[in-house]
Amino acid sequence: MTVALARRDGHWCGVFRAMAGPCEVLLEVGREDEARPLVEAAAAETRRIEAKFSRYRDDNVIHAINSGQGRPVVVDDETAGLFDFAHRCHEVSGGRFDVTSGVLRRIWTFDGSDRVPSRRQAKALLPLVGWEKVTWDRPAITLPAGMEIDLGGLGKEYAVDRVATLLAERTRAAVLVNFGGDLRAVGRRRAGDAWRVGVEQATRDGSGRGLELAVGALATSGDARRFLLRQGVRYPHILNPRTGWPVMRAPRSVTVLGEICLEAGLLATLAMLEGERAEEFLAAQGVRHWVQR
């Protein structure tokens, strides 16, 4: 994995590509020989997580589970931890957050085109969706034949947290991890400064919002790049697993501030799943947030 490293405004910036997008690590260390091993360690950890949990590979635990054909698969503690988290997410969301909903991508490709599937096509896939149909008896998981696990809704945020934790164990310097707009900052910057981060504007006629992040995480969910547009109707990529259909009247973008990226990302996604009640949902959580409609 190629890592680019450059000095910028008093810190080092390492960049590499993973998880289908740019990954950036900012480090407030003095020398390149301090920064480079840390960025390379961040890249290696990201690559490990992507290889282990990507649904596109045929040599990892997700493939073993998805091809199990009804047979139980025993998983390690890290994977089990993610399934425990997915189980809690499913419970607290009333089934709206569901890691088995990835099968819906067979009919939905959010590439900006007008190729909207039919309601009948969506309904035909619903028997293959539903965490409640999965037998999760830690450390063994059993999927009914034809169903699939997709941790795409958690993977990037989990990787941000893992990399931030790894770097905090190796340096006392301030660190900012930014994977495509999902961020986590650890360690106070010199002189008490915060990192200046940007939130992408979801609409073409607006400019991005600048925020300060000293410690904590920021995650955004939105449809700026992934949507369908047909006869003037925009179909966002957030799908309701109970209907197989996009959540209409959802915000264009939701950004949430949290202690860790996994938590911030979950709340941003759950807010999108609430549709027109997104603001009400976020207010009830008592978290700082920004909504674009």
Side-chain angles (χ1 to χ4, degrees):
M1 180 182 292
T2 302
V3 171
L5 191 63
R7 185 77 175 166
R8 294 181 188 169
D9 301 327
H11 62 263
W12 287 94
C13 177
V15 179
F16 54 92
R17 288 193 65 82
M19 298 186 167
C23 300
E24 190 176 66
V25 177
L26 278 56
L27 297 147
E28 208 169 50
V29 297
R31 302 191 313 272
E32 180 176 355
D33 62 358
E34 294 178 274
R36 183 167 295 281
L38 294 171
V39 176
E40 289 177 346
E45 177 66 356
T46 307
R47 179 172 52 187
R48 181 192 70 81
I49 292 169
E50 182 175 29
K52 183 171 182 177
F53 297 117
S54 171
R55 69 173 184 260
Y56 298 108
R57 298 177 64 112
D58 61 3
D59 59 351
N60 63 14
V61 63
I62 299 301
H63 177 77
I65 294 168
N66 290 346
S67 59
Q69 294 296 311
R71 295 185 294 273
V73 175
V74 175
V75 302
D76 64 11
D77 283 346
E78 182 181 36
T79 308
L82 286 174
F83 287 159
D84 286 342
F85 186 75
H87 177 75
R88 292 196 298 273
C89 293
H90 185 261
E91 283 189 332
V92 301
S93 69
R96 289 188 178 91
F97 187 97
D98 196 318
V99 294
T100 68
S101 63
V103 295
L104 296 171
R105 70 179 181 277
R106 295 176 186 173
I107 59 169
W108 290 101
T109 302
F110 294 96
D111 56 1
S113 71
D114 64 351
R115 293 190 289 271
V116 177
S118 68
R119 292 276 187 178
R120 177 175 295 182
Q121 287 177 293
K123 187 176 180 180
L125 286 175
L126 293 184
L128 300 179
V129 178
W131 176 258
E132 70 278 1
K133 300 168 189 171
V134 175
T135 302
W136 171 228
D137 185 12
R138 187 182 177 117
I141 185 169
T142 307
L143 248 62
M147 289 185 66
E148 297 179 10
I149 292 289
D150 179 0
L151 295 179
L154 304 172
K156 189 168 63 171
E157 293 89 345
Y158 175 71
V160 168
D161 286 330
R162 278 291 309 149
V163 168
T165 300
L166 180 149
L167 295 177
E169 292 170 350
R170 299 188 180 196
T171 180
R172 299 179 65 178
V175 173
L176 179 69
V177 180
N178 175 12
F179 286 6
D182 291 331
L183 309 102
R184 180 156 170 201
V186 293
R188 292 283 177 180
R189 299 193 70 184
R190 288 189 288 270
D193 294 340
W195 298 100
R196 187 70 178 168
V197 301
V199 177
E200 185 179 15
Q201 186 72 14
T203 56
R204 291 182 178 178
D205 56 353
S207 58
R209 177 192 297 270
L211 302 173
E212 291 190 342
L213 181 65
V215 176
L218 201 66
T220 298
S221 180
D223 70 349
R225 294 186 177 85
R226 298 176 62 197
F227 63 91
L228 295 177
L229 187 62
R230 185 174 187 180
Q231 297 179 339
V233 178
R234 188 182 181 93
Y235 296 80
H237 80 281
I238 301 292
L239 294 168
N240 184 335
R242 295 177 298 192
T243 64
W245 207 250
V247 179
M248 309 303 281
R249 295 186 292 280
R252 297 292 301 277
S253 169
V254 173
T255 299
V256 174
L257 180 68
E259 292 187 7
I260 63 173
C261 201
L262 204 53
E263 169 194 304
L266 171 64
L267 289 175
T269 299
L270 292 183
M272 292 291 290
L273 286 165
E274 290 285 340
E276 58 189 354
R277 296 182 59 251
E279 290 89 341
E280 180 182 342
F281 167 81
L282 289 165
Q285 307 311 308
V287 294
R288 288 191 69 191
H289 62 273
W290 299 263
V291 174
Q292 300 181 56
R293 286 195 177 271

